[in-house]
Amino acid sequence: QVQLVESGGGLVQAGGSLRLTCAASGSIFRVYDMAWYRQAPGQQRELVASITREGTTIRADSVKGRFTISRDNAKDMVYLQMNSLKPEDTAVYYCHANIRSIQSDYPLSYWGQGTQVTVSS
């Protein structure tokens, strides 16, 4: 079995910082693209940032200049450094990854359980 586990969410004041961490574990052959999504109440889930295994990144316009995505391939982990947080960043943040398990010939899509980020004004 493969799973993604997020950590690092919490309550922070506007202008503050948080660092989210997501660890992939289980019978992993290789982790491909990894990403962070978020979903605010009553809103659709949206892409925040993604990173390829080679380190190419994409960030949503709303977080450019404030959020940085990075990964550690040796540890199968992805991080989201969030600076200058705003109340509109409040959401549940989900980790996503395309992972090929040892038992599979091709990668499958996996989601973490989500971690709450709340930014107070």
Side-chain angles (χ1 to χ4, degrees), residues 37-41 87-93 115-119:
Y37 287 75
R38 67 186 180 187
Q39 187 168 20
E88 51 263 43
D89 295 318
T90 295
V92 177
Y93 283 69
T115 185
Q116 176 71 45
V117 171
T118 303
V119 185

Side-chain angles (χ1 to χ4, degrees), residues 5-69:
V5 178
E6 302 107 330
S7 61
L11 173 64
V12 64
Q13 289 188 333
S17 298
L18 283 174
R19 188 189 193 215
L20 304 183
T21 298
C22 173
S25 64
S27 55
I28 295 172
F29 177 80
R30 179 162 293 182
V31 180
Y32 295 91
D33 293 2
M34 304 185 81
W36 289 95
Y37 287 75
R38 67 186 180 187
Q39 187 168 20
Q43 303 294 318
Q44 289 188 332
R45 191 172 297 189
E46 64 174 0
L47 175 68
V48 176
S50 67
I51 184 166
T52 67
R53 186 172 179 83
E54 294 75 24
T56 300
T57 62
I58 295 174
R59 287 176 293 179
D61 288 344
S62 60
V63 306
K64 285 181 180 177
R66 302 188 299 123
F67 292 9
T68 302
I69 188 171

